[in-house]
Amino acid sequence: MSDDTKPVENGARNRHIILTSHPTGHQKPIALKWGAASAKERGPVVGTLGAGGQRNAIGAHSGSYALYRALAVASGALSPEHKPDLTNTTPATTIGPNPQWSDPSKIVSLDPFGHTVTESFAEHIAAGLDIRPTIAVTKARLTVPELLGEISSGRLHPDGSILLESGEANVTKVAIEPVWHLPGVAQRFGTAEAELRRTLFEQTGGMFSELVTRPDLKVFLPPIGGVTVYIFGDLAAIADPACHVACRVHDECSGSDVFGSDICTCRPYLIHGIDGCIKQAQENGVGIIVYNRKEGRALGEVTKFLVYNARKRQAGGDRADAYFERTECVAGVQDVRFQELMPDPLHWLGVTRIDRFISMSNMKYDAMVQQGIEIVERIAIPDDMIPEDARVEMEAKKAAGYFSEGTAPAPEELSDTRGRDLQDY
């Protein structure tokens, strides 16, 4: 894009469109040294349009929300020249630097310095360069109704610091936008960078031509949702070998997490994770919830609901023995979450060991272990927290080899485990 955008009286913008898809000789992207030990040596990630030829990233900040920003600009509600005033936006608590930040193989899907741009790149900002944070760190109180039930039953005890008498929990909350270092992402998936770039270009309908025409740009800001991390207790406990770490890595399911749908175990497992994190923090440790925006196994909610209908209408009803097959029939694959990038936020926090991993997912477990994170104990969801209609999912996962404290169901048990029919709602 041209950086000579000028608003005119009727709200339209009279400008030339300058494509950035090919090098022109005038572009001078700011150098990036991924995996450098310091922010100054690494250099800033510059994805803002006003940076002109200094941009060193493909795409735009804010992930999928960049499209809403475009609507705001097109409608005249937002000036395309707006620069955020970042006064008083610095992190509410200090995170890092951690040793993993300087290992280019450990963090490839986020910018480890993304929360420190106002201090790390103050000189660039003072010179007029528009550099945006890709990580924000704040503090909050969580109000989760189930915690009151845990308190009344005696399974949780308020301590006045982490868990209050009101049932609220104090947390440090981190929002992370994806920043992909393409050579590192390709290596993590065992493919060539050129193949990754070409596939990303083709499967997004040619949305980002620089993926195939600008091999000099190594960072991509994908238009996808990011990650939110909820930390219970003192972050310093992460680096203390005498303290224990509890963790749940949870992939978004708005139907269950927000609205309480009982066809899956997502909200119950999330609550179980929060419960375990609070208890660990109260025992002089720390609890971490990593919440990934990967709705419907990253296949999307439309695909998920189509699969629900297919499961309920198939011959023999919603059966555990056909649970994964129905997803594959609709989507062509059982799951596209591919957890290879999932450990990055934990590396960013400095996690090297998880004492209590609250998950039954082998994919998540394997991804962490392969990335050098030790897992001491795995924690399954209690049987009494599984909704009746979700037993189809649970038994299918046990049969597929997911972690469970019980035995895997026999084939005849699997086919006998059935959910309700559509007419029963």
Side-chain angles (χ1 to χ4, degrees), residues 105 269 332 345 371 405:
S105 69
Y269 229 139
Q371 279 291 303
E405 293 175 349

Side-chain angles (χ1 to χ4, degrees), residues 95-413:
I95 296 180
N98 291 307
Q100 294 94 323
W101 294 17
S102 57
D103 184 341
S105 69
K106 290 293 186 185
I107 299 178
V108 300
S109 64
L110 60 89
D111 176 7
F113 300 104
H115 59 312
T116 68
V117 297
T118 55
E119 54 187 275
S120 297
F121 307 113
E123 292 183 9
H124 294 83
I125 295 172
L129 197 59
D130 185 4
I131 304 174
R132 307 284 175 96
T134 56
I135 299 176
V137 184
T138 189
K139 288 183 176 289
R141 284 186 181 177
L142 301 186
T143 302
V144 182
E146 287 91 338
L147 294 183
L148 287 172
E150 292 286 278
I151 292 172
S152 63
S153 69
R155 288 190 290 267
L156 279 178
H157 303 281
D159 58 274
S161 175
I162 295 161
L163 183 63
L164 309 182
E165 291 287 347
S166 63
E168 297 170 299
N170 283 326
V171 296
T172 298
K173 189 162 63 171
V174 183
I176 302 173
E177 290 180 6
V179 178
W180 288 6
H181 182 241
L182 292 171
V185 172
Q187 183 180 33
R188 190 78 63 86
F189 280 85
T191 189
E193 180 188 347
E195 180 64 22
L196 172 66
R197 296 175 75 113
R198 181 187 180 105
T199 304
L200 288 170
F201 168 73
E202 292 175 341
Q203 294 300 314
T204 55
M207 187 183 297
F208 302 99
S209 57
E210 294 95 333
L211 286 167
V212 292
T213 62
R214 294 291 304 276
D216 58 316
L217 302 181
K218 299 296 185 181
V219 167
F220 178 43
L221 307 176
I224 59 176
V227 179
T228 309
V229 182
Y230 297 84
I231 304 163
F232 300 78
D234 187 358
L235 275 77
I238 293 174
D240 187 345
C243 296
H244 287 182
V245 177
C247 177
R248 170 151 182 85
V249 176
H250 190 91
D251 294 330
E252 180 183 45
C253 174
S254 61
S256 178
D257 297 342
V258 179
F259 295 100
S261 171
D262 71 344
I263 197 172
C264 61
T265 59
C266 295
R267 183 177 176 89
Y269 229 139
L270 178 59
I271 299 302
H272 185 45
I274 292 173
D275 183 283
C277 285
I278 290 174
K279 288 178 180 176
Q280 194 69 77
Q282 290 176 327
E283 295 170 4
N284 198 32
V286 64
I288 303 169
I289 300 287
V290 180
Y291 194 88
N292 297 296
R293 297 319 190 283
K294 296 179 180 177
E295 181 69 58
R297 298 183 190 162
L299 293 165
E301 204 162 34
V302 169
T303 295
K304 182 165 71 171
F305 288 6
L306 293 174
V307 170
Y308 288 167
N309 285 346
R311 282 171 50 187
K312 300 294 184 181
R313 288 175 172 146
Q314 68 185 330
D318 186 11
R319 311 187 320 273
D321 62 335
Y323 174 79
F324 289 106
E325 181 184 348
R326 292 277 65 78
T327 300
E328 194 165 356
C329 287
V330 175
V333 63
Q334 292 181 3
D335 197 320
V336 294
R337 285 174 292 181
F338 301 119
Q339 303 291 353
E340 282 83 353
L341 301 178
M342 177 271 296
D344 284 21
L346 295 170
H347 286 317
W348 177 71
L349 289 170
V351 174
T352 58
R353 187 193 73 251
I354 295 173
D355 297 276
R356 302 180 76 244
F357 183 47
I358 306 167
S359 172
M360 68 185 301
S361 170
N362 288 341
M363 290 186 294
K364 294 173 184 175
Y365 174 86
D366 292 343
M368 287 187 182
V369 172
Q370 289 167 8
Q371 279 291 303
I373 297 176
E374 178 189 1
I375 294 179
V376 178
E377 181 184 9
R378 302 172 72 178
I379 309 296
I381 186 171
D383 192 67
D384 61 4
M385 292 186 72
I386 302 171
E388 190 60 34
D389 203 39
R391 293 195 176 276
V392 171
E393 169 203 332
M394 187 55 57
E395 296 305 302
K397 287 182 174 180
K398 290 178 182 177
Y402 282 57
F403 172 75
S404 172
E405 293 175 349
T407 58
E412 60 274 11
E413 295 176 303

